[in-house]
Amino acid sequence: MAQNDTRPSRLIHGFHAVIAKLRHNPAAVQEIYLEQGRQDGRAKDLLRHAQAQDVRVIPTEAKRLDGMAPGMRHQGVVARVDANERQPALDDVLDTLEEPALLLILDGVTDPHNLGACLRVADAVGAHAVIAPKDRAVGLTQTAIKVASGAAETVPYITVTNLARTLRELKERNIWVIGTDDQGSDDLYTAQWPTGTAWVMGAEGEGMRRLTRENCDQLVRIPMAGAVESLNVSVAAGVCLFEAKRRLGS
């Protein structure tokens, strides 16, 4: 990065997030602050990626890093990245797919830890995007990015103004919209659905909003064998997405 770079910036932290950004969008990384004296394997891996992309790494006192990411487990690394980095639109993602769509939709998830975990699940299963409404949603906070362990840099997180309308647009593209609900009539493991799917998860406790539910093609439930009545949203997302992926044969 040139020292006179005047682009507006934001901070990300943690080795997973910073290295993922260097791998997938190095042009957005303005500079990296690494705890001085670090000689361990993760630090060397980060330095190798930064050098390959000609990104400046600044040795920094741990106390200053604490101030840059207050209350966060930054692991000794903070990066300044372009705040104006363009997020893809949903059409940008869908228009380039050469395989059946696999999408995760979050309706009413306001906990950044849950969002980060959902992004991590989406990355692990190879989902094409995570979609959420602009209202009643947490957004990509520092905590969400950290919990995602790099997945916030690899999985498009797309916010939409009107979620119900977005669901209708997905159906027009022949993407089957499946809502997860404890009272769903279909068991996840016996239900049938087309190949291209969008899985809708509601917030814990409240579940999906009425209009969201009404715009689903199908409602399924995850069978629960124990005393616990429901799963954390990120766990439920993992169960459903990996089942959908399994049926695609990959």
Side-chain angles (χ1 to χ4, degrees):
M1 170 215 169
Q3 295 189 28
N4 62 350
D5 192 332
T6 59
R7 292 175 294 172
S9 63
R10 62 183 177 91
L11 298 176
I12 63 174
H13 59 275
F15 282 97
H16 285 297
V18 175
I19 291 176
K21 181 66 74 175
L22 284 170
R23 285 174 174 167
H24 297 283
N25 192 5
V29 184
Q30 297 175 352
E31 58 190 9
I32 298 170
Y33 304 88
L34 178 65
E35 184 177 349
Q36 60 188 20
R38 290 286 295 261
Q39 297 291 330
D40 54 277
R42 286 193 297 181
K44 290 179 179 178
D45 189 33
L46 182 141
L47 288 168
R48 181 166 59 251
H49 281 92
Q51 184 178 20
Q53 301 297 340
D54 195 26
V55 175
R56 182 186 180 202
V57 178
I58 304 172
T60 306
E61 293 183 358
K63 186 175 181 179
R64 185 184 176 198
L65 294 174
D66 292 340
M68 297 172 75
M72 304 294 178
R73 296 181 58 191
H74 53 71
Q75 302 175 315
V77 60
V78 175
R80 192 175 299 280
V81 301
D82 184 4
N84 290 332
E85 179 186 5
R86 179 178 177 272
Q87 294 296 320
L90 182 56
D91 286 340
D92 294 337
V93 174
L94 298 179
D95 288 345
T96 59
L97 292 185
E98 298 180 355
E99 58 189 354
L102 182 58
L103 307 171
L104 174 61
I105 299 174
L106 303 177
D107 184 24
V109 174
T110 58
D111 185 327
H113 293 88
N114 281 338
L115 173 59
C118 285
L119 285 166
R120 192 168 181 175
V121 165
D123 174 83
V125 77
H128 299 111
V130 174
I131 303 166
K134 288 184 178 178
D135 63 327
R136 297 182 74 247
V138 62
L140 283 178
T141 66
Q142 287 290 328
T143 298
I145 292 170
K146 177 62 171 61
V147 173
S149 298
E153 314 304 332
T154 60
V155 180
Y157 178 66
I158 299 168
T159 57
V160 297
T161 302
N162 188 315
L163 184 57
R165 182 172 63 222
T166 297
L167 297 182
R168 292 192 293 269
E169 292 171 351
L170 291 175
K171 291 195 282 187
E172 290 173 0
R173 285 178 174 265
N174 295 319
I175 296 173
W176 193 254
V177 178
I178 306 175
T180 56
D181 189 281
D182 294 343
Q183 305 303 316
S185 58
D186 294 332
D187 181 302
L188 171 68
Y189 298 112
T190 60
Q192 299 297 314
W193 55 75
T195 53
T197 53
W199 292 82
V200 187
M201 307 282 161
E204 276 191 274
E206 299 180 11
M208 292 178 289
R209 288 177 287 182
R210 178 186 58 81
L211 199 55
T212 302
R213 180 192 303 269
E214 291 176 356
N215 278 281
C216 291
D217 292 305
Q218 183 178 7
L219 295 177
V220 303
R221 69 182 186 280
I222 299 172
M224 306 290 288
V228 175
E229 295 182 355
S230 64
L231 298 173
N232 173 277
V233 62
S234 63
V235 176
V239 171
C240 293
L241 290 176
F242 274 99
E243 174 63 12
K245 190 73 170 179
R246 182 188 69 82
R247 295 194 191 191
L248 291 173
S250 56

